């Protein structure tokens, strides 16, 4: 009976250790996940502990059109697909690179430029953040993308 109790206790301890471990997200972004076509879903702005829906002319999907997107290609090439009013499509090329948990995007002839923190990344979802001043208030702009 004592052996069974010790075995049970050991199993409980090992199970707790394995279940309580979390993945360290402070390391570099896994490039296998970040490359690909990411469809823009929504944007929010966070400031002073509040998060609200937020859109600008270049970070919103036009009603009735296919979703805008960014496509991060191998070799540092990015495609930015943007649907304008009346579903007029425009695709621009640029460059992207990684620096730690951030990506630097530069798209010629567009406002989609800057250093974006990768706040969350999985095989199906990407959340980019950029800090700045919006409408006179400091905060974080969050961009949500899905594959």
């Amino acid at each position: 009976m004592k052996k069974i109790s010790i075995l049970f206790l050991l199993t409980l301890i090992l199970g707790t250790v394995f279940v309580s471990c979390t993945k360290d997200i402070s390391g570099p972004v896994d490039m296998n996940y970040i490359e690909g076509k990411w469809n823009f879903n929504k944007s929010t702005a966070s400031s002073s502990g509040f998060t609200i829906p937020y859109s600008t002319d270049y970070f919103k999907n036009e009603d009735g059109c296919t979703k805008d997107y960014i496509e991060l290609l191998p070799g540092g090439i990015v495609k930015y697909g943007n649907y304008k009013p009346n579903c007029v499509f425009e695709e621009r090329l640029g460059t992207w690179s990684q620096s730690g948990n951030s990506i630097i995007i530069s798209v010629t002839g567009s406002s989609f430029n800057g250093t974006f923190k990768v706040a969350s990344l999985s095989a199906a979802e990407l959340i980019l953040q950029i800090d700045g001043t919006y409408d006179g208030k400091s905060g974080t702009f969050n961009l949500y993308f899905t594959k």
Side-chain angles (χ1 to χ4, degrees), residues 4-142:
I4 292 175
S5 295
I6 292 172
L7 183 59
F8 176 74
L9 184 59
L10 184 61
T11 303
L12 182 63
I13 291 170
L14 287 174
T16 303
V17 168
F18 286 115
V19 171
S20 65
C21 290
T22 59
K23 183 179 178 185
D24 178 15
I25 60 170
S26 62
V29 174
D30 183 347
M31 297 307 258
N32 291 320
Y33 284 140
I34 202 159
E35 289 180 354
K37 186 174 180 179
W38 295 96
N39 296 305
F40 178 71
N41 190 19
K42 67 178 180 177
S43 61
T44 61
S46 302
S47 180
S48 304
F50 295 99
T51 300
I52 58 170
Y54 188 86
S55 66
T56 65
D57 288 339
Y58 65 94
F59 284 129
K60 69 175 189 168
N61 289 317
E62 296 295 329
D63 293 333
C65 303
T66 303
K67 291 186 175 190
D68 294 347
Y69 64 87
I70 58 170
E71 187 171 4
L72 302 170
L73 300 168
I77 303 297
V78 63
K79 291 181 181 179
Y80 172 54
N82 182 27
Y83 286 88
K84 295 182 177 223
N86 299 318
C87 297
V88 174
F89 178 69
E90 175 182 78
E91 184 176 71
R92 299 213 179 247
L93 295 175
T95 60
W96 74 279
S97 62
Q98 178 199 12
S99 177
N101 281 349
S102 295
I103 56 173
I104 299 99
I105 297 175
S106 178
V107 178
T108 306
S110 83
S111 300
F112 194 68
N113 295 291
T115 300
F116 299 86
K117 176 184 173 195
V118 179
S120 180
L121 176 63
S122 70
E125 182 181 58
L126 169 65
I127 302 173
L128 299 178
Q129 294 180 330
I130 190 165
D131 294 324
T133 302
Y134 311 100
D135 294 333
K137 296 181 182 180
S138 295
T140 302
F141 192 52
N142 309 289

